[in-house]
Amino acid sequence: MTRFLIIISIIYIVSAFYGFQGFKTLFRNVWFHWAYGLLFLAALTNFIIRVINYVPGDGVRGQVANAGGIFFAFLLLGLVFGIFLLLEDIVRLFVFGYNKIAGLSETQTQFFPSRRKFISGIALGIAALPFGALLYGMYKGKYNYKVLKYALEFDDLPDAFDGYQITQISDVHSGSFDNREKVAYGIDLINKQQSDVILFTGDMVNDKSSEMELWADLFSTLEAKDGKFSILGNHDYGDYTSWPSDEAKAQNLEDLKNLQKEMGFDLLLDTHKYLEKNGQRIALLGVENWGRGGFKKAGDLEKAKTGISKDDFKILMSHDPSHWEDIVLKDDYHFHLTLSGHTHGMQFGVEIPGWVKWSPVKWRYKYWAGIYEELGQFINVNRGFGFIGYPGRVGIWPEISVITLKKKGLT
């Protein structure tokens, strides 16, 4: 950690100093120069203090997460600004060398200050974009809840469930929340959908069940006619923090299970329930976390489907979409709809409905956000209700999914 802190601090200082050369070209007022230096210094100092005082096992949240977010925003500002100026200096150097070799006079080879000022202005404008976006994501974007609605058609949906509405939420990560009013707004937005059932697809906490205690009263107010069901995500097992003993870790998981029950969630652990309507029914299955690439593989699909028929209409709750890709799609039971989360859309990307849908997380997950269809089966990958690590969201907003089931051929 010490080596990392030294290296990142050196990169930060060099980029800030190099960028300052362009800043001086644009702004002659000495007070602006002081402001530039003090802001960069404050962001670095705050970050170093938070990292030094960080207690391993506490999770990247709260003050250390905010300090890291601000530091990274200033780091990007300095890097982008500095890179543009460095490229311009490299061009200057090559032109200067060429002109010397060509024997041109200084009058003929002069680079006017206005050119440097122009380049600095362009560089600062471009650098300000990621800087502003990261700060906006921290202070506004992380609670910019969006209700995304989908209508999915099926040939074999029981007639009684035509028009049946599901609200899916995922990845609450309650340990990262810092604004009760905003979270309450999100809960109210879920209830306003008046769905038949609410399904939560894992990661209630970052690490510890105690993180949810401050928010349990809010999530207890979630209501749906046919109830609310939940599963566990990879973070719910407490694998990413330290524990005094294995018994303490196991107790934490039991505490989280009990807390979910107290909040009114029916936690499905490799099992299933039937949702019934007008004498017809659909099967709702929930598995424990199963994830590719080093994530816990606790989910047992075979156990969850024991007792249901191949002919049943089936909705599966599985936290990690890699489970759908690697296991579920190949299963001969044909799972009509799978609901997942986990990816968060990396909390960063660009989405313009109908035009662009991009995030760096697509390089790891083929199915990373929204609805996908393969082999006549659907999956919805929810972008998450909360956030973790970077305390914000840029372009990929917190999501409340509302899915309406439709029977093909019915009006």
Side-chain angles (χ1 to χ4, degrees):
M1 177 60 74
T2 301
R3 176 180 292 181
F4 166 78
L5 196 59
I6 292 173
I7 293 173
I8 197 71
S9 296
I10 291 173
I11 295 172
Y12 180 89
I13 292 169
V14 170
S15 64
F17 179 79
Y18 206 88
F20 181 62
Q21 309 311 308
F23 191 81
K24 286 195 303 181
T25 302
L26 290 172
F27 304 100
R28 299 296 184 181
N29 191 313
V30 69
W31 291 106
F32 282 19
H33 301 169
W34 276 103
Y36 178 100
L38 289 175
L39 286 172
F40 268 89
L41 180 61
L44 175 61
T45 302
N46 185 42
F47 176 68
I48 291 175
I49 290 173
R50 299 303 179 191
V51 171
I52 290 175
N53 292 319
Y54 172 71
V55 178
D58 275 355
V60 182
R61 58 180 184 269
Q63 292 182 337
V64 69
N66 287 327
I70 293 171
F71 170 81
F72 188 59
F74 273 92
L75 176 62
L76 275 182
L77 177 65
L79 280 175
V80 176
F81 197 16
I83 286 172
F84 269 86
L85 298 177
L86 177 61
L87 291 174
E88 202 245 349
D89 281 348
I90 291 173
V91 171
R92 280 170 171 261
L93 181 62
F94 274 103
V95 171
F96 175 79
Y98 171 80
N99 290 334
K100 280 292 186 183
I101 294 172
L104 298 177
S105 66
E106 290 186 9
T107 303
Q108 293 173 295
T109 63
Q110 184 178 8
F111 271 80
F112 297 105
S114 59
R115 184 174 185 272
R116 177 72 172 195
K117 189 172 184 178
F118 174 77
I119 296 295
S120 296
I122 294 295
L124 182 58
I126 293 175
L129 292 177
F131 176 76
L134 286 173
L135 293 183
Y136 174 84
M138 290 176 61
Y139 294 101
K140 292 290 185 180
K142 63 186 177 184
Y143 296 119
N144 186 23
Y145 300 109
K146 300 296 181 184
V147 177
L148 301 185
K149 297 186 177 184
Y150 308 98
L152 303 180
E153 290 189 333
F154 303 90
D155 289 316
D156 54 349
L157 178 72
D159 292 354
F161 285 88
D162 181 57
Y164 194 79
Q165 185 169 290
I166 299 165
T167 288
Q168 180 199 1
I169 56 173
S170 192
D171 299 87
V172 164
H173 290 287
S174 53
S176 299
F177 289 150
D178 57 8
N179 189 316
R180 188 174 181 84
E181 182 181 349
K182 295 294 186 181
V183 175
Y185 166 76
I187 296 296
D188 184 58
L189 199 56
I190 295 170
N191 279 332
K192 282 183 176 178
Q193 307 313 308
Q194 298 183 322
S195 290
D196 295 290
V197 68
I198 294 174
L199 305 179
F200 171 68
T201 47
D203 278 1
M204 186 72 77
V205 298
N206 293 344
D207 299 296
K208 300 177 180 179
S209 63
S210 58
E211 298 166 8
M212 191 62 197
E213 292 173 359
L214 295 173
W215 312 96
D217 60 327
L218 289 179
F219 283 83
S220 296
T221 65
L222 290 173
E223 294 181 348
K225 179 171 59 69
D226 290 341
K228 48 191 183 184
F229 298 83
S230 63
I231 58 172
L232 297 176
N234 56 298
H235 279 266
D236 293 322
Y237 296 91
D239 289 342
Y240 310 122
T241 188
S242 58
W243 299 97
S245 64
D246 291 340
E247 291 75 16
K249 181 181 179 181
Q251 185 59 52
N252 175 74
L253 182 56
E254 288 304 311
D255 290 343
L256 181 60
K257 293 177 182 179
N258 292 332
L259 184 57
Q260 292 204 29
K261 182 178 180 180
E262 292 171 11
M263 290 189 294
F265 285 94
D266 190 345
L267 181 61
L268 302 182
L269 301 172
D270 294 334
T271 187
H272 66 271
K273 294 287 180 75
Y274 279 101
L275 302 175
E276 299 187 3
K277 187 175 182 181
N278 298 337
Q280 297 181 315
R281 65 183 189 175
I282 60 177
L284 176 66
L285 302 88
V287 294
E288 294 200 48
N289 190 78
W290 192 103
R292 184 202 309 147
F295 289 104
K296 181 183 288 292
K297 290 181 172 62
D300 188 337
L301 186 60
E302 293 299 316
K303 181 179 177 182
K305 71 184 189 184
T306 300
I308 68 172
S309 168
K310 282 187 177 182
D311 296 330
D312 285 330
F313 187 91
K314 296 172 285 294
I315 297 175
L316 172 66
M317 302 165 66
S318 180
H319 179 69
D320 191 319
S322 66
H323 187 219
W324 187 69
E325 183 180 358
D326 292 355
I327 304 294
V328 178
L329 275 175
K330 304 170 186 176
D331 194 276
D332 63 355
Y333 259 53
H334 185 87
F335 292 89
H336 299 76
L337 174 62
T338 297
L339 302 176
S340 299
H342 183 62
T343 72
H344 300 209
M346 205 173 172
Q347 298 170 210
F348 175 83
V350 178
E351 284 196 89
I352 303 175
W355 292 88
V356 178
K357 178 180 163 185
W358 178 87
S359 168
V361 78
K362 69 178 295 183
W363 296 325
R364 174 157 186 174
Y365 292 96
K366 181 178 180 180
Y367 309 102
W368 60 273
I371 297 287
Y372 302 88
E373 182 181 7
E374 298 282 354
L375 303 176
Q377 303 172 73
F378 290 94
I379 186 174
N380 181 53
V381 184
N382 184 282
R383 294 159 179 80
F385 187 83
F387 50 92
I388 190 172
Y390 165 59
R393 285 177 175 266
V394 178
I396 306 294
W397 312 119
E399 175 184 350
I400 299 164
S401 302
V402 178
I403 301 171
T404 302
L405 307 181
K406 302 294 291 183
K407 176 69 176 282
K408 281 187 179 178
L410 288 185
T411 57

